[in-house]
Amino acid sequence: MKKEIGKQGSTRANKILLRYYKATHYATYHAYRKGLTRATRLIELAILILMISTIISIIPATRGLADYLLSLSGLIGVIYFLVYYRINAKGRYLRKDSKKAMRMIATDGFVPKSWNIYDGVYSYEGLESIEIAFVQDHSYLKDIWRILKDNRPTLPPAKRDLEALREYILRLQQLELQDELGIQINYIGYGTLDGKLVKQLKEAHFKLEEIDDDFITKPGRLDYGAATGTIKNAFRNYPKDFKAYIISFDFHTYLKLQDEKKHQDKLRARRRTRLNNLASSEAK
């Protein structure tokens, strides 16, 4: 009897802890971005009501309504900032975990700047996923500061960043784990890409498989503008062709590329040897 009571108490405690965790943390990057998108609609509504209030305030007969709409707009604005603060507070641990994971997977101490990894939402029986985000999330002020300061853009990804992504994807494809029931779990990587990024990844020999639009995680406009280094890309040039893709890499293609790299390295070494020998003979 005491054991049963103990089990029930433990189960209730675990449920309470789980609820607390869900209330204070985001489990996935997708959920975090969805929360920000919903918050953005609030501020858009506040701005719309403010514009209507400004327009009808010109007419004397509707000034009372204009004052009411102005107050409503202000209230929605306050609600937005409270919601925005809560979302970012919940997302703080998510971003912190992502930075820690990026340091853990770093090859030779190199941490890519153009992509980050998070727990994914694309999962089925025997399959789990990692979401690869190509735009980092920052506050509005930091994004504006990065654009004005003319920081080096992180998009399109640098060659070394793509090489690091290739290495990570290959390791992820080879990863096989078992859950508590003994079922084998395989992992895939997926991400939200625009047309330019799709072209770049294909040119770098990545294999892309489009998946359902439900898995699209669009970056924030200012985040995208800061990542590409121009404010225009946050508004007028913000992509409209975002799609979700499984990102993979063929191991045989990898071996072929490695062989080509070794061959090129040998050719460069021979050229350097010839130049050194020529310089030595001329010095004599």
Side-chain angles (χ1 to χ4, degrees):
M1 183 70 177
K2 288 182 179 179
K3 287 183 179 179
E4 287 298 321
I5 293 172
K7 285 181 181 179
Q8 289 177 5
S10 177
T11 302
R12 287 172 187 168
N14 288 337
K15 286 181 178 179
I16 290 171
L17 288 172
L18 183 60
R19 284 174 191 161
Y20 174 77
Y21 181 85
K22 287 181 177 179
T24 56
H25 298 70
Y26 278 112
T28 65
Y29 179 70
H30 186 79
Y32 167 67
R33 285 301 320 168
K34 286 288 185 183
L36 284 177
T37 300
R38 286 192 289 268
T40 302
R41 288 172 185 158
L42 274 177
I43 198 64
E44 288 173 350
L45 177 61
I47 292 171
L48 177 62
I49 293 174
L50 178 62
M51 291 173 63
I52 294 172
S53 171
T54 304
I55 293 170
I56 67 174
S57 64
I58 301 171
I59 307 169
T62 57
R63 281 178 184 169
L65 177 60
D67 291 340
Y68 170 76
L69 291 176
L70 182 61
S71 300
L72 180 61
S73 175
L75 177 62
I76 294 173
V78 171
I79 293 172
Y80 163 76
F81 284 110
L82 291 174
V83 171
Y84 180 77
Y85 174 79
R86 182 174 177 272
I87 290 170
N88 276 281
K90 287 178 66 176
R92 188 184 303 123
Y93 298 101
L94 186 76
R95 296 191 297 271
K96 186 177 179 181
D97 288 345
S98 176
K99 288 180 180 179
K100 184 178 178 181
M102 291 300 292
R103 289 194 296 269
M104 289 174 66
I105 67 169
T107 303
D108 298 327
F110 174 72
V111 179
K113 293 183 178 180
S114 63
W115 56 273
N116 287 75
I117 56 174
Y118 301 89
D119 286 332
V121 293
Y122 186 88
S123 61
Y124 296 95
E125 185 176 350
L127 180 68
E128 294 293 339
S129 65
I130 297 295
E131 181 162 7
I132 301 163
F134 289 89
V135 176
Q136 295 188 26
D137 286 86
H138 298 289
S139 66
Y140 291 149
L141 291 177
K142 188 169 183 179
D143 280 333
I144 293 171
W145 172 249
R146 288 179 66 203
I147 293 171
L148 294 177
K149 195 180 177 182
D150 196 27
N151 281 353
R152 291 182 179 179
T154 56
L155 286 181
K159 182 181 178 182
R160 193 174 182 189
D161 282 18
L162 289 178
E163 289 174 351
L165 178 61
R166 181 185 66 193
E167 297 293 331
Y168 175 68
I169 290 293
L170 285 168
R171 277 184 280 165
L172 193 64
Q173 290 173 177
Q174 295 169 8
L175 184 63
E176 293 181 356
L177 300 175
Q178 287 187 340
D179 64 9
E180 58 274 10
L181 298 176
I183 299 174
Q184 183 174 301
I185 303 295
N186 295 312
Y187 280 81
I188 61 159
Y190 76 97
T192 299
L193 316 174
D194 64 355
K196 291 180 180 178
L197 199 48
V198 167
K199 182 180 178 182
Q200 186 181 13
L201 290 183
K202 285 184 176 180
E203 287 176 350
H205 304 286
F206 285 89
K207 294 174 68 178
L208 303 177
E209 178 187 343
E210 187 176 337
I211 55 179
D212 196 83
D213 288 351
D214 291 340
F215 301 103
I216 294 175
T217 308
K218 290 184 180 181
R221 286 179 174 269
L222 277 178
D223 289 327
Y224 185 79
T228 53
T230 172
I231 194 68
K232 290 181 181 179
N233 290 340
F235 299 102
R236 187 175 62 186
N237 295 336
Y238 184 77
K240 297 179 181 179
D241 57 350
F242 282 115
K243 295 288 183 181
Y245 296 88
I246 293 174
I247 304 171
S248 60
F249 205 95
D250 181 64
F251 188 68
H252 296 293
T253 303
Y254 171 73
L255 293 177
K256 184 179 178 182
L257 291 172
Q258 290 297 101
D259 288 340
E260 289 178 1
K261 184 176 182 297
K262 289 177 183 178
H263 179 65
Q264 292 297 325
D265 289 342
K266 286 180 181 179
L267 290 177
R268 281 191 287 267
R270 287 174 186 172
R271 291 193 194 101
R272 282 196 298 269
T273 302
R274 289 197 200 101
L275 289 172
N276 289 336
N277 291 338
L278 182 61
S280 298
S281 62
E282 287 178 351
K284 292 177 183 179

